[in-house]
């Protein structure tokens, strides 16, 4: 029986084939799923061929390395921004919408790995910036890190709808960012801007209490609206922004409830535009191995840390079925 | 208006598009690369042995444009080469533009660089549309799958010597998929004689300019050159590898047989370059197709759909098939025979008319039916079914189906009441 087509974010990258290929669990390639014949969702690369060239092993592995903390900027009691030194190549790889790394305190065991979206990446000078909101044991321990920190990456499935963001040119789009999700929004906005798109940004400070990415957006010519999305006024602003029929893409950076909120308005007022959304699933390994990120879509188990999901289905599942 | 979507622009797909159009349908032909004819771009052999009969049958049944064009583009006519008589060798650079123009002139819509990636089903047994690689969907009433059975890369790697960079150009244009498989019907697989799946494509091509003047001139003049292989390099085992049993004769292991189709067609799946260059006259030889013909060739027969003798796929309401997708066939003529029938029947199917089966007193009808019977057995899966040679040509001769007398063929088709059947407009 033919299996439904899934897209893997890592395909064709330096890290494809991955552990899943070694274990006959490749997301895309049927030859590496235990079947003996080709039936793939071609994305320009023959994964099976790459696997054989790599002597039937994962081509390269993402190991943990120790990074220097170049700068720590405290925004408020619960929010700080770390600047971390990384090899130039890693910075270049991380300059992608949806990119993230795992961080943990230098002396913590591996299960303290916390996925953190990249806010800013500088490949010339070799550093990245992450914004961290303290809300539990892992983030508290990261806060205690002083000079060095453990980092593992690069990973890329921090948002769904990657191809729509990369593919949009000379069009109108809307970016909605709430709270800590402002951080990954910076690279999304930069990418859309570089492709000559006209961007409206709705910022809701959320629990962070600050529009902390404003300095990263200063250089750009954007239409920025700050509001409380959950208020009646905010909902009106959101609705009107979505109802613009020239809009080709909406990016929602926030909770699944926010994604659903935007999706419902799109259903009513604008069902031509594409929706891209932040991936809020629990991610622990990023490699499709640990099972934390597993979701069920149409009765099929899907590794949401690697698979580019259909946003609509993913949020419905989460909201309706917990 | 009946809409027919043909997936795959090789010889079978072109034939199917032609007859579906003649029957009155609105036809869209989807092709993954930027040229039609697929393996026909590196083929060229027509009218050899039983294919002469089949070509005449195609003409009288109503697929005459295909034969007229291949005859007109022949570089050499009535050529004999080991095991084969009265062959035509067409010019591979002339045929594709001629077929393309002919199909356009009939009003067939051809969409290039339009690779099928998946199937959209209306129900468990009915196809609604073909999902292309760019996520668009081509909807239709009836579908004809002529995607072949060759490759793609992963299959050539697992069952052959890896990707040989052949004319199908998977690394550039993406792989074929099996429409019938995506629609829920499992594929049948052919086997090599040593019970491994698939078979190597039977020939490769040398760049004519890289051959000695003497060999090149002889090719231009006679159309065929036979050169002995050095004793130490004779390898009888490789005869078992290939698709084309009609070239699995000892002559083809002991000699290098070259045919002139515009390039120098070398009748063996691949030939290590250093060994090839030991042969006098081939010291500077290089491969034109596949680019890596020194090491490998594409693997065929990994994706055949179960079908009836009207070319309809079993288990689905609105899918037909032709060419290598429809059986262990090999050759342009065989693709045209099955393609013409599938195209015509696609319109009959959508109109609820009974489908045509070619009678077994015609070589075309017998081939289609005989192959279907044979592949029920394991032995049958190791054979190939071609008018050009091997067991089937022997069968043709013993049943009296083989003739080069065009009048006999015409009278037979008249008696069968099928003259110009494909020219009939049904809707």
């Amino acid at each position: 029986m033919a299996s439904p087509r899934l897209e893997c974010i890592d395909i064709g990258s330096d890290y494809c084939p991955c552990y899943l290929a070694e274990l006959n669990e490749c997301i895309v390639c049927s030859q590496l799923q235990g079947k003996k014949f080709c039936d793939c969702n071609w994305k320009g690369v023959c994964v099976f061929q790459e696997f054989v060239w790599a002597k039937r092993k994962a081509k390269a592995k993402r190991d943990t390395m120790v990074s220097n903390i170049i700068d720590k900027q405290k925004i408020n009691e619960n929010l700080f921004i770390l600047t971390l030194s990384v090899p130039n190549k890693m910075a270049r790889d991380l300059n992608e919408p949806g990119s993230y790394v795992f961080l943990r305190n230098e002396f913590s065991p591996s299960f303290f790995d916390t996925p953190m979206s990249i806010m800013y990446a500088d490949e010339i000078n070799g550093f990245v910036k992450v914004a961290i909101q303290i809300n539990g044991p892992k983030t508290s321990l990261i806060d205690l890190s002083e000079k060095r920190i453990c980092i593992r990456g690069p990973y890329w499935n921090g948002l769904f709808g990657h191809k729509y963001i990369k593919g949009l040119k000379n069009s109108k789009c809307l970016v909605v960012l709430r709270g800590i999700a402002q951080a990954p929004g910076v690279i999304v906005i930069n990418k859309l801007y570089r492709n000559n798109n006209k961007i409206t940004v709705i910022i809701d400070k959320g629990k962070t209490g600050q529009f902390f990415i404003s300095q990263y957006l200063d250089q750009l010519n954007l239409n920025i609206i700050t509001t409380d999305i959950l208020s009646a006024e905010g909902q009106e602003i959101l609705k009107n922004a979505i109802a613009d029929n020239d809009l080709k893409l909406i990016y929602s950076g926030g909770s699944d409830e926010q994604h659903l909120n935007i999706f419902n308005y799109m259903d009513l007022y604008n069902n031509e535009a594409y929706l891209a959304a932040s991936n809020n699933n629990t991610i622990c390994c990023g490699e499709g191995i640990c099972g934390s990120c597993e979701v069920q879509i149409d009765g099929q188990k899907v590794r949401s840390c690697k698979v580019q999901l259909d946003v609509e289905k993913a949020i419905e599942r989460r909201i309706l079925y917990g | 208006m009946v809409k027919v979507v043909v997936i795959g622009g090789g010889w079978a797909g072109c034939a199917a598009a032609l007859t579906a159009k003649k029957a009155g349908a609105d036809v869209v032909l989807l092709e993954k690369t930027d040229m039609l004819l697929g393996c026909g771009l590196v083929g060229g052999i027509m009218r050899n042995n039983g294919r002469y009969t089949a070509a005449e049958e195609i003409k009288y049944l109503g697929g005459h444009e295909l034969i007229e064009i291949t005859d007109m583009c022949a570089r050499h006519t009535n050529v004999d080469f080991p095991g084969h008589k009265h062959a035509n060798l067409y010019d591979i650079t002339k045929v594709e533009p001629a077929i393309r123009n002919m199909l356009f002139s009939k009003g067939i819509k051809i969409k290039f660089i339009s690779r099928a990636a998946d199937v959209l089903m209306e129900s468990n047994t009915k196809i609604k549309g073909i999902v292309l690689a760019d996520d668009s969907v081509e909807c239709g009433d009836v579908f004809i799958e002529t995607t072949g059975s060759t490759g793609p890369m992963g299959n050539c790697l697992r069952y052959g010597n890896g990707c040989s960079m052949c004319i199908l150009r998977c690394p550039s244009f993406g792989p074929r998929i099996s429409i019938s498989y995506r629609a829920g019907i499992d594929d049948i697989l052919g086997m090599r004689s040593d019970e491994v799946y698939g078979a190597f494509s039977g020939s490769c091509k040398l760049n004519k300019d890289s051959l000695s003047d003497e060999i090149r001139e002889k090719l231009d003049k006679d159309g065929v050159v036979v050169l002995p292989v050095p004793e130490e390099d004779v390898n009888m085992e490789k005869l078992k590898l290939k698709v084309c049993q009609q070239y699995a004769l000892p002559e083809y292991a002991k000699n290098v047989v070259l045919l002139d189709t515009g390039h120098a067609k070398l009748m063996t799946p691949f030939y290590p370059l250093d060994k090839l260059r030991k042969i006098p006259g081939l010291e500077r030889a290089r491969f034109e197709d596949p680019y890596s013909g020194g090491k490998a060739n594409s693997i065929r027969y990994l994706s055949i759909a179960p079908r009836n003798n009207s070319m309809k796929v079993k288990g689905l309401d609105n899918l037909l098939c032709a060419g290598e997708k429809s059986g262990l066939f090999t050759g342009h003529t065989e693709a045209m025979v099955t393609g013409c029938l599938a195209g015509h029947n696609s319109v009959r199917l959508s109109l609820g008319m009974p489908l045509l089966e070619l009678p077994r007193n015609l070589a075309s009808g017998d081939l289609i039916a005989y192959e279907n019977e044979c592949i029920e057995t394991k032995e049958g899966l190791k054979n190939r079914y071609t008018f050009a040679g091997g067991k089937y040509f022997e069968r043709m001769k013993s049943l009296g189906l083989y003739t080069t007398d065009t009048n006999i063929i015409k009278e037979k088709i008249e008696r069968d009441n099928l003259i110009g059947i494909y020219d009939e407009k049904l809707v």
Side-chain angles (χ1 to χ4, degrees), chain A residues 210-225:
Chain A
Q210 285 212 235
F211 176 15
F212 65 89
I213 60 169
S214 65
Q215 61 181 132
Y216 300 100
L217 304 181
D218 279 343
Q219 310 286 322
L220 311 177
N221 180 11
L222 306 166
N223 175 19
I224 300 181
I225 307 169

Side-chain angles (χ1 to χ4, degrees), chain A residues 212-320:
Chain A
F212 65 89
I213 60 169
S214 65
Q215 61 181 132
Y216 300 100
L217 304 181
D218 279 343
Q219 310 286 322
L220 311 177
N221 180 11
L222 306 166
N223 175 19
I224 300 181
I225 307 169
T226 44
T227 181
D228 174 359
I229 293 176
L230 299 181
S231 71
E233 189 202 335
Q235 284 291 297
E236 201 52 35
I237 292 174
L238 184 63
K239 192 179 72 173
N240 290 333
I242 290 171
D244 179 353
N245 281 319
D246 290 333
L247 268 190
K248 294 279 182 289
L249 173 75
I250 300 170
Y251 171 69
S252 170
S255 65
D256 283 354
E257 284 82 0
Q258 179 182 301
H259 298 340
L260 192 60
N261 183 203
I262 291 175
F263 178 71
N264 286 334
Y265 280 140
M266 286 171 73
D267 224 12
L268 290 169
Y269 304 116
N270 187 343
N271 43 27
E272 288 299 307
Y274 289 119
L275 176 60
S278 55
N279 177 357
N280 302 327
N281 292 315
T282 307
I283 295 178
C284 281
C285 73
E287 303 279 350
I289 297 292
C290 73
S292 309
C293 69
E294 184 182 286
V295 299
Q296 283 248 9
I297 306 279
D298 291 338
Q300 195 194 6
K301 290 188 195 160
V302 169
R303 298 169 156 104
S304 67
C305 68
K306 283 175 80 83
V307 173
Q308 279 282 300
L309 290 179
D310 180 324
V311 188
E312 187 185 322
K313 291 202 173 117
I315 45 183
E316 271 173 12
R317 173 209 52 82
R318 185 83 177 265
I319 302 297
L320 299 176

